[in-house]
Amino acid sequence: MTSTESAGTPTTFYELVGGHDTFAALVKRFYAGVATDPVLRPMYPEEDLGPAEDRFRMFLEQYWGGPTTYSEQRGHPRLRMRHAPFPVTPEARDHWLTHMRDAIDSLELAPELDHELWSYMERVAHFLINTDESPVQKGFQL
């Protein structure tokens, strides 16, 4: 048990927002939107979105100060490298942010926590854009 756990005072963002249950709810809601999104769904090769949901939850938990399960299982996150095979366009970013905004809103976090989480998601979504062209324009078949 860490000193913060024994004192009962949350010190990481992960703890402040409610830990595992909060991130599980966030990612579940997000992927519910992705599952029916005509732009995003083709980027997920798995028939079931469960593995992607698990990876994203573990990544977010680790990033925000929770368990390091993501790195233990998958190594360094390398976000741009892992997303490079997929045409992440401004349109895809916008769809991703729409579903993420809905997921964050569903958590009903305190305004300052909501702002911090949303700001991070916006930065990452912009960072991962790797093409202006749609998959059809580039000749990709998804």
Side-chain angles (χ1 to χ4, degrees):
M1 191 180 298
T2 67
S3 60
T4 59
E5 289 173 321
S6 62
T9 305
T11 59
T12 66
F13 187 87
Y14 175 81
E15 294 168 335
L16 288 169
V17 298
H20 173 81
D21 291 344
T22 298
F23 285 97
L26 172 74
V27 173
K28 181 179 178 103
R29 178 75 172 245
F30 171 75
Y31 277 104
V34 168
T36 61
D37 189 287
V39 173
L40 297 178
R41 184 60 181 99
M43 292 186 198
Y44 293 86
E46 290 121 345
E47 195 62 32
D48 173 19
L49 288 173
E53 187 175 324
D54 290 341
R55 290 188 300 267
F56 191 32
R57 178 192 41 78
M58 289 187 302
F59 168 77
L60 290 174
E61 288 177 330
Q62 178 173 307
Y63 179 85
W64 292 104
T68 58
T69 312
Y70 183 92
S71 286
E72 291 163 9
Q73 291 184 7
R74 297 186 49 83
H76 189 281
R78 296 183 175 94
L79 289 179
R80 286 189 66 91
M81 181 195 78
R82 292 188 195 274
H83 291 83
F86 307 101
V88 182
T89 64
E91 179 186 26
R93 174 211 50 214
D94 293 346
H95 282 244
W96 193 94
L97 285 170
T98 296
H99 298 299
M100 185 51 67
R101 181 71 260 173
D102 174 67
I104 292 172
D105 287 346
S106 75
L107 299 176
E108 299 180 353
L109 298 173
E112 64 278 4
L113 299 173
D114 181 289
H115 176 74
E116 187 169 351
L117 184 57
W118 177 244
S119 294
Y120 169 77
M121 297 298 184
E122 281 187 308
R123 286 190 310 274
V124 169
H126 290 279
F127 172 72
L128 291 177
I129 291 173
N130 58 23
T131 183
D132 287 333
E133 298 180 74
S134 75
V136 173
Q137 290 169 321
K138 289 189 86 165
F140 286 113
Q141 292 187 344
L142 296 177

